[in-house]
Amino acid sequence: MALAPYRRLLKIPGVPALLLMGLLARVPSTAMGMTLTLHVAVALDLGYGKAGLVTMANTIGMAIGSPLAGRFVDRHGLRPVVMVTTVAQAVFWSCAWALPFPALIGTAAVAGLLALPVFSVTRQCLAAMVPVAQRRSAFALDSMLVELAYMAGPALAVAGLTMLGSAVTMTTIAVATAAAGLGMIVLNPPTRSPDELEEQSVKVPRRQWLTPGFVALLGTAAAATFVLTATELSLIATMNNAGQTQWVGLAVAIWCVYSLVGGFVYGGLSRGFSPLVLIAFMGLLTIPVSLVSGWQWLVVMLLPAGLLCAPSLASTVDVLSRWVPSAARGEAMGFHGTALLIGGASSAPIAGAVIDSSGPTWAFVLAGLVGVAMVLAAAPFWPRRPAQPVPTLPAPTPSPPAEPTPTPAEAHESVTSKPPPLVDR
């Protein structure tokens, strides 16, 4: 593995600032779900059932709002969308702690609909700023930073709720989100490369890119988060049942480190792999985790599948950036975010039901089998050769130099001797 791909990537103007901004902006975003859950269940003392209703409303809002925000970015640019969503998040999180439960459900749904699109925007801007040949390294590094954000955000939320209370924690999220939005507005990274700016005024019909192959790609992305969410729940349940709850945090942290290592190695390889291959193997390698108990052995058995976490997610974004025209990339990234949400949201109740009825051992098996099954379902619709986005505008071609007018004899010779012109494809 070579570090050269990352060195070349970080030398691209604007890329280090974009990645740093994406990391810092994602930390408060990853803390929001845990904050809502603990606020309702513990601070309001309404239980985890009602807490689940609030987080579900927020998740549904995000699933709907993600592609809408991307479409508005495609049409109107980054700054207007970030301004509106930043204000919406600042208003909600600054007063959410004081809202009664019925109002909290409705406003949480609206806040999800108007969520700051930091995940999709960061990837969209990376695709615009980084040449195609370097995007795999860029998205691998971005996936690693997302892993770091998920390691920090929920932990900070738990610490804030238990030590400072809901009001301080939610107000801090409001301030941090406003700062993140302001940073995105000031940085204003490009959403299209200079070569893609020609498509700025061209409306791209969805049928050009919303194909069965694209839907299959979304299915594989959902499969990845299904496997990851079910694995996390199964890991926690196994350790709780064995009386090893005190080691849960360490086990999850080690699992995250596996993902970071895998993403780092994958981004430095000379060539990538199809999401179908990576996610299928991640599912298959999750099944044997069910054969062991004890947190030490669980951590060891999670190593192979854990190494594929970040590469699997990075590969789906890389393929999407190659398949979709730049003029629709924001909306497509939004759909990708929705697919990730759907995979995780559907996994939690399904895996939880299996854990309650049959135990966490079978939940590991379920996670792996569902991941493989979704990949197999997507495979028939996958393009048989690498797909490229269809350009929405023809590239300008220079006018040929003027030639002298041929004589009648020369004209006759030209018509009879020259082959017909080739069609430029």
Side-chain angles (χ1 to χ4, degrees), residues 57-68 112-113 334-335 337-339 341-342:
N58 186 250
T59 300
I60 292 174
M62 288 190 290
I64 297 173
S66 182
L68 292 177
L113 186 69
F335 276 117
T338 297
L341 288 171
I342 291 174

Side-chain angles (χ1 to χ4, degrees), residues 28-256:
S29 295
T30 58
M32 292 175 179
M34 183 65 72
T35 301
L36 284 175
T37 299
L38 294 180
H39 171 67
V40 175
V42 179
L44 298 183
D45 196 24
L46 296 177
Y48 286 94
K50 290 187 175 180
L53 293 177
V54 175
T55 55
M56 181 180 68
N58 186 250
T59 300
I60 292 174
M62 288 190 290
I64 297 173
S66 182
L68 292 177
R71 187 169 181 82
F72 282 120
V73 170
D74 289 333
R75 289 187 171 185
H76 306 291
L78 178 65
R79 280 178 168 167
V81 176
V82 172
M83 288 179 184
V84 172
T85 53
T86 299
V87 171
Q89 295 305 299
V91 170
F92 171 74
W93 287 102
S94 61
C95 64
W97 59 273
L99 296 175
F101 178 72
L104 185 60
I105 293 180
T107 53
V110 176
L113 186 69
L114 298 175
L116 187 67
V118 60
F119 288 87
S120 58
V121 162
T122 302
R123 292 162 179 158
Q124 180 181 4
C125 295
L126 273 178
M129 299 169 67
V130 177
V132 174
Q134 295 178 261
R135 284 181 187 171
R136 180 168 46 82
S137 299
F139 292 132
L141 183 55
D142 180 67
S143 293
M144 294 161 58
L145 296 178
V146 170
E147 197 76 58
L148 291 176
Y150 272 105
M151 292 172 67
L156 291 174
V158 172
L161 263 294
T162 55
M163 297 172 60
L164 303 174
S166 295
V168 175
T169 302
M170 291 185 168
T171 302
T172 302
I173 290 178
V175 173
T177 305
L182 181 61
M184 293 173 68
I185 292 171
V186 172
L187 186 61
N188 193 30
T191 57
R192 290 183 179 89
S193 68
D195 294 337
E196 296 167 343
L197 289 177
E198 296 175 350
E199 303 176 15
Q200 185 74 29
S201 60
V202 177
K203 182 179 180 180
V204 180
R206 285 194 181 94
R207 65 178 180 274
Q208 182 175 322
W209 56 271
L210 193 54
T211 61
F214 179 80
V215 175
L217 174 63
L218 297 183
T220 61
T225 51
F226 187 101
V227 173
L228 295 178
T229 302
T231 300
E232 181 179 16
L233 291 174
S234 305
L235 173 64
I236 294 171
T238 300
M239 297 182 69
N240 285 341
N241 292 347
Q244 300 168 330
T245 307
Q246 69 272 22
W247 300 109
V248 167
L250 178 59
V252 172
I254 294 174
W255 184 38
C256 292

Side-chain angles (χ1 to χ4, degrees), residues 367-393:
L369 291 179
V370 169
V372 173
M374 293 179 71
V375 168
L376 292 176
F381 304 99
W382 205 263
R384 293 295 177 258
R385 58 181 179 178
Q388 297 294 334
V390 180
T392 56
L393 277 180

Side-chain angles (χ1 to χ4, degrees), residues 147 151 235 239 247-262 295-307 309:
E147 197 76 58
M151 292 172 67
L235 173 64
M239 297 182 69
W247 300 109
V248 167
L250 178 59
V252 172
I254 294 174
W255 184 38
C256 292
V257 171
Y258 293 161
S259 178
L260 290 173
V261 172
W295 77 271
Q296 296 94 335
W297 285 109
L298 281 173
V299 168
V300 172
M301 291 298 290
L302 281 171
L303 174 60
L307 291 173
C309 293

Side-chain angles (χ1 to χ4, degrees), residues 243-329:
Q244 300 168 330
T245 307
Q246 69 272 22
W247 300 109
V248 167
L250 178 59
V252 172
I254 294 174
W255 184 38
C256 292
V257 171
Y258 293 161
S259 178
L260 290 173
V261 172
F264 187 78
V265 172
Y266 182 72
L269 296 178
S270 58
R271 63 179 298 273
F273 298 94
S274 168
L276 296 178
V277 175
L278 292 171
I279 296 172
F281 271 100
M282 184 172 67
L284 288 172
L285 294 172
T286 300
I287 296 175
V289 181
S290 63
L291 301 176
V292 300
S293 59
W295 77 271
Q296 296 94 335
W297 285 109
L298 281 173
V299 168
V300 172
M301 291 298 290
L302 281 171
L303 174 60
L307 291 173
L308 296 177
C309 293
S312 296
L313 296 174
S315 66
T316 61
V317 183
D318 185 25
V319 169
L320 183 149
S321 72
R322 298 169 187 267
W323 287 5
V324 178
S326 63
R329 191 181 289 144

